[in-house]
Amino acid sequence: MGVVGPFPQTLKPIMYYVYLIRSLKDASKTYIGYTAGLKQRLKTHNSGSSIHTKQFRPWKLVVYVAFDEEEKALVFEKYIKVGAGYAFAKKRFW
């Protein structure tokens, strides 16, 4: 018999996201971030609540990568922001 209803809070799967967004106002403006709540975070960027991105809103989600472990997401976010990871993102995503 299958599980009926929502998962108990302790069993609920949590994903961690590294995301890349691009400004619709100025396509040369991009942002790379990390969050556990992707939809809400994009709303935050587009509402002007984020001081780092409010000047160039609205923003469009370009790509996201989901991880089941927070540490993996944080390591990937750091990788994609510098060096070879940044070059990869620039070539493949932007």
Side-chain angles (χ1 to χ4, degrees):
M1 179 181 225
V3 177
V4 179
F7 286 99
Q9 190 62 25
T10 57
L11 298 178
K12 187 175 181 180
I14 296 175
M15 299 302 288
Y16 303 92
Y17 304 93
V18 175
Y19 63 93
L20 291 78
I21 57 177
R22 177 187 305 268
S23 170
L24 293 174
K25 182 178 180 180
D26 180 348
S28 70
K29 303 299 181 188
T30 58
Y31 182 86
I32 299 169
Y34 148 85
T35 187
L38 187 58
K39 287 181 183 180
Q40 183 57 44
R41 187 66 179 133
L42 189 56
K43 286 179 185 178
T44 300
H45 286 296
N46 282 323
S47 72
S49 299
S50 172
I51 61 170
H52 301 289
T53 59
K54 70 179 180 179
Q55 183 178 359
F56 299 104
R57 64 187 177 182
W59 293 88
K60 174 184 148 185
L61 182 64
V62 175
V63 67
Y64 69 89
V65 181
F67 296 88
D68 63 346
E69 294 179 24
E70 185 175 20
E71 181 63 27
K72 289 178 184 178
L74 292 169
V75 168
F76 185 72
E77 179 197 23
K78 186 175 182 179
Y79 166 76
I80 209 79
K81 286 184 172 183
V82 297
Y86 182 79
F88 171 82
K90 187 175 180 181
K91 182 176 182 179
R92 301 293 180 198
F93 300 139
W94 305 124

